[in-house]
């Protein structure tokens, strides 16, 4: 079941485990995606960072294996102008911090744009350009009570 609140989408799940041979057992938990901002250290020239946060927790107790949520991740997103492409605005995504099965995921010292990995994973060059065009054509995404609002960028603004 999904619930959409201001700046947050929450999913609660209960998946039957019969296909894995665990008849009558369920994998239950919840996950969320939230939009927000955090204070910046100013080194990147910004006062605040735009953050997408994701977290997955389970009902199962796993403290003997690891402590904390199943997965937690904070990503910073930027919309910048690409000097190489006549000032075209580009959507960039960077790992701020993360936690996966009890281990902290350290961001690389050199910032790495995760969106490039997404684009590069597409084998079809035409599809890659379509995905880039769609992502770069988004001006703003907001999560409001009961809905997700995607505002398109004015094509004349680059």
């Amino acid at each position: 079941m999904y619930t959409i609140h201001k700046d947050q989408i929450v999913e609660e799940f209960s998946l039957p485990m019969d296909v894995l041979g665990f008849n009558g057992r369920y994998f239950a938990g919840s996950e969320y995606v939230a939009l927000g901002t955090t204070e910046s250290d100013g080194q990147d020239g910004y006062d605040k960072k735009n953050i997408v946060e994701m977290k997955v927790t389970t009902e199962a107790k796993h403290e003997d294996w690891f402590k904390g949520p199943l997965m937690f991740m904070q990503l910073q997103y930027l919309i910048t102008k690409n000097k190489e492409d006549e000032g075209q605005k580009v959507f960039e995504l960077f790992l701020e911090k993360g936690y996966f099965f009890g281990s902290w995921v350290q961001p690389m010292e050199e910032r790495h744009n995760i969106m490039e990995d997404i684009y590069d994973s597409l084998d079809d060059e035409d599809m890659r350009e379509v995905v880039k065009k769609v992502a770069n054509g988004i001006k703003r995404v907001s999560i409001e009570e009961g809905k997700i609002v995607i505002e398109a960028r004015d094509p004349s603004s680059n």
Side-chain angles (χ1 to χ4, degrees):
M1 175 175 75
Y2 287 96
T3 309
I4 301 176
H5 303 285
K6 175 142 180 62
D7 295 331
Q8 187 178 52
I9 301 172
V10 179
E11 177 191 16
E12 296 175 26
F13 55 85
S14 180
L15 307 170
M17 301 299 290
D18 297 356
V19 295
L20 298 175
F22 298 107
N23 295 343
R25 304 216 37 207
Y26 292 84
F27 180 68
S30 65
E31 61 186 346
Y32 73 80
V33 175
L35 302 176
T37 59
T38 62
E39 296 298 317
S40 175
D41 58 13
Q43 291 181 354
D44 54 8
Y46 299 98
D47 294 333
K48 295 187 179 216
K49 293 180 181 179
N50 296 311
I51 298 291
V52 177
E53 185 175 284
M54 294 174 249
K55 183 176 182 181
V56 179
T57 58
T58 61
E59 294 297 320
K61 302 301 178 211
H62 46 70
E63 279 74 22
D64 57 331
W65 186 23
F66 63 89
K67 297 199 180 329
L70 198 61
M71 186 271 300
F72 171 79
M73 163 171 39
Q74 275 190 347
L75 302 168
Q76 178 188 10
Y77 63 94
L78 297 170
I79 299 173
T80 59
K81 287 192 175 190
N82 184 353
K83 294 180 179 114
E84 300 164 5
D85 197 10
E86 298 149 12
Q88 176 72 31
K89 290 190 177 169
V90 178
F91 178 73
E92 297 178 306
L93 192 61
F94 304 97
L95 176 66
E96 279 289 303
K97 60 183 169 182
Y99 187 84
F100 189 71
F101 282 89
S103 297
W104 281 102
V105 177
Q106 296 298 321
M108 293 183 262
E109 288 192 23
E110 182 178 318
R111 292 175 61 94
H112 177 73
N113 182 3
I114 299 168
M115 290 304 294
E116 289 300 323
D117 295 335
I118 294 170
Y119 300 145
D120 291 344
S121 70
L122 300 169
D123 294 330
D124 183 341
E125 181 67 33
D126 292 335
M127 181 55 74
R128 187 177 304 146
E129 291 307 312
V130 168
V131 171
K132 280 184 179 181
K133 189 172 185 176
V134 169
N136 294 335
I138 296 172
K139 178 179 182 180
R140 181 172 182 246
V141 176
S142 62
I143 304 171
E144 298 177 10
E145 199 67 38
K147 62 184 174 182
I148 300 170
V149 178
I150 301 172
E151 184 179 342
R153 181 178 313 289
D154 179 0
S156 65
S157 71
N158 275 340

